[in-house]
Amino acid sequence: QVQLVESGGGLVQAGGSLRLSCAASGLIITINDMGWYRQAPGKQRELVTTITRGGSTNYADSVKGRFTISRDNAKNTVYLQMNSLKPEDTAVYYCNAGVYDYRMTLNSYWGQGTQVTVSS
């Protein structure tokens, strides 16, 4: 079994910054893509950003230039640096990882979510 544990959410004023972390643990052989998604009240979960094991990144247009994803493969951890936060960034942020287990089966795992609230 694999667990993803997020941390770093909280309340911040518009224009401020937050850094989220997500650490994976358990029966991990290697982790493929990792990413962050978010879900605002009354809305569907949406992609924020992803990063491959090699470091290639992809961002939603709404966060380009403000958010930066990074990862530490040795620590099985992914980070999300969020700058110039806006009230519309308010959501529960979820970490996702594609993990190869000992049978080399690829499974997708989710964290429990961390609340990010941006006040105007």
Side-chain angles (χ1 to χ4, degrees), residues 53-113:
R53 183 169 182 80
S56 296
T57 59
N58 177 55
Y59 294 93
D61 288 343
S62 59
V63 306
K64 282 181 181 177
R66 300 188 297 121
F67 291 10
T68 302
I69 189 172
S70 60
R71 64 188 284 174
D72 185 332
N73 291 331
K75 296 181 178 180
N76 291 332
T77 299
V78 64
Y79 306 96
L80 181 62
Q81 179 65 44
M82 303 185 293
N83 298 329
S84 301
L85 282 162
K86 304 175 181 180
E88 51 263 44
D89 294 318
T90 295
V92 178
Y93 284 70
Y94 296 92
C95 171
N96 175 264
V99 180
Y100 283 99
D101 62 19
Y102 67 97
R103 294 172 294 182
M104 293 310 290
T105 299
L106 181 63
N107 294 298
S108 179
Y109 293 93
W110 293 90
Q112 80 284 359

Side-chain angles (χ1 to χ4, degrees), residues 24-35:
S25 62
L27 298 177
I28 297 169
I29 298 301
T30 189
I31 299 178
N32 198 26
D33 292 358
M34 302 185 81

